[in-house]
């Protein structure tokens, strides 16, 4: 029922990888149920940030949730832990009821464990997103490395329009080009459209369907993809059906970040100039 992490002492740089993992460090054992999903973001100087679901509830004393009130596959919040300066993990003492470094969001929201995403834009700009409890929108949080804490993004993901709602359990996928962020999720309409929005660093675009996914009747079960934008394309993958699944792949064109504005220069001359 713990969140565990370990560091490999052998870098994965060649055609093959020699495993060299350290011992397991328990970085959070405050959960009633098992942590089921991890995501990692690199910070400066080989420090790592781990973000994980809290397994459907936490014991009283740390954002108290009554035991048994939340069960798999739900979660109520995301926990996080920052590694030591050498990339190893500060563990929780055995026998103690210890948590990580805290929660990503200040308030709980009971959602499916699939429905969140970590998007590291750079080692100093990191965002976390989750579906709202009723599927009515998406929450966004921003990490502050100096204080090792999270706060709500000043520009929250856009509100849903009529006919748009988050399909529970179908995942939340995020990608970045190192400057901007794109989010994707499955809508609850008959087509199970895949909707996406772009964050340019200050504002979000409206949710719009990925071309070709907004017609017919489909049962899209899960959306994911390549987290890094390449050649102004996002690779998106999703499953359809109820098992065995059909897997579909699409390359979604995205808008590149606009270049910075050119500086302006004002030329003045005196009345006596020749």
């Amino acid at each position: 029922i713990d969140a565990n992490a370990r560091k490999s002492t052998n870098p994965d740089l060649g055609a093959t990888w020699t495993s060299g993992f350290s011992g397991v460090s328990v970085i959070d054992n405050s959960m009633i149920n098992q942590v089921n999903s991890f995501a990692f973001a690199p910070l400066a100087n080989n420090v790592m940030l781990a973000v994980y679901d809290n397994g459907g509830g936490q014991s009283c004393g740390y954002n108290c949730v009554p035991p048994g009130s939340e069960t798999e596959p739900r979660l109520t919040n995301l926990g996080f832990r920052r590694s030591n300066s050498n990339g190893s993990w500060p563990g929780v003492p055995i026998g103690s009821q210890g948590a990580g470094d805290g929660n990503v969001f200040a308030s709980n929201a009971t959602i499916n464990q699939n429905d969140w995403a970590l998007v590291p834009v750079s080692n100093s700009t990191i965002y976390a997103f989750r579906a709202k409890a009723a599927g009515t929108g998406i929450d966004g949080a921003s990490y502050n490395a100096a204080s090792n804490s999270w706060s709500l993004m000043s520009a929250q993901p856009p509100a849903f329009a009529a006919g748009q709602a988050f399909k529970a359990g179908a995942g939340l996928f995020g990608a970045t080009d190192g400057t901007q962020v794109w989010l994707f999720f499955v809508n609850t309409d008959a087509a199970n459209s895949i909707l996406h929005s772009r964050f340019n660093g200050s504002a979000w675009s409206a949710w719009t369907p990925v071309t070709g996914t907004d017609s017919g009747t489909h049962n899209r079960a899960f959306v994911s993809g390549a987290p890094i934008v390449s050649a102004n394309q996002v690779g998106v993958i999703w499953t359809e059906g109820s098992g065995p699944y059909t897997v579909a792949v699409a390359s979604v064109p995205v808008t590149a970040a606009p270049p910075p504005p050119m500086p302006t220069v004002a030329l003045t001359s005196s009345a006596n100039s020749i």
Side-chain angles (χ1 to χ4, degrees):
I1 60 173
D2 301 324
N4 304 322
R6 61 173 74 187
K7 173 189 175 183
S8 175
T9 56
N10 296 324
D12 180 16
L13 301 176
T16 60
W17 183 25
T18 302
S19 177
F21 284 110
S22 63
V24 171
S25 294
V26 177
I27 62 175
D28 193 323
N29 64 358
S30 65
M31 293 164 287
I32 297 172
N33 300 307
Q34 293 180 358
V35 55
N36 290 284
S37 53
F38 260 101
F40 294 87
L43 303 177
N45 302 316
N46 295 322
V47 177
M48 294 295 292
L49 180 70
V51 177
Y52 46 90
D53 76 73
N54 69 357
Q58 294 178 311
S59 62
C60 290
Y62 182 69
N63 273 2
C64 182
V65 176
S69 63
E70 305 301 344
T71 57
E72 307 292 357
R74 297 191 294 270
L75 63 87
T76 57
N77 214 318
L78 300 174
F80 74 98
R81 191 72 183 262
R82 184 164 65 184
S83 77
N84 296 319
S85 59
N86 63 356
S88 63
W89 294 94
V92 175
I94 296 176
S96 68
Q97 187 77 10
D101 290 338
N103 283 338
V104 170
F105 293 95
S107 61
N108 287 338
T110 302
I111 61 173
N112 188 283
Q113 65 195 23
N114 289 332
D115 299 339
W116 66 277
L118 182 70
V119 184
V121 178
S122 68
N123 61 14
S124 60
T125 302
I126 299 168
Y127 301 115
F129 303 95
R130 69 175 181 186
K132 292 182 182 293
T136 57
I138 292 175
D139 297 320
S142 178
Y143 179 69
N144 186 316
S147 61
N148 189 32
S149 63
W150 293 82
S151 60
L152 287 178
M153 294 177 65
S154 56
Q156 285 291 295
F160 291 164
Q164 297 178 347
F166 196 104
K167 184 176 181 179
L172 177 61
F173 164 56
T176 181
D177 63 357
T179 301
Q180 303 180 108
V181 172
W182 287 263
L183 290 182
F184 297 78
F185 72 91
V186 178
N187 194 15
T188 57
D189 58 353
N192 270 187
S193 307
I194 297 176
L195 302 180
H196 70 294
S197 174
R198 175 177 67 96
F199 178 59
N200 65 6
S202 60
W204 292 86
S205 64
W207 294 105
T208 56
V210 171
T211 303
T213 68
D214 55 345
S215 61
T217 301
H218 296 268
N219 180 22
R220 295 190 168 100
F222 187 77
V223 63
S224 187
I228 304 298
V229 175
S230 178
N232 291 332
Q233 303 280 326
V234 176
V236 181
I237 184 171
W238 64 86
T239 62
E240 299 200 28
S242 56
Y245 294 104
T246 297
V247 178
V249 179
S251 183
V252 180
V254 297
T255 304
M262 296 295 292
T264 58
V265 177
L267 298 178
T268 59
S269 61
S270 69
N272 297 325
S273 63
I274 298 175

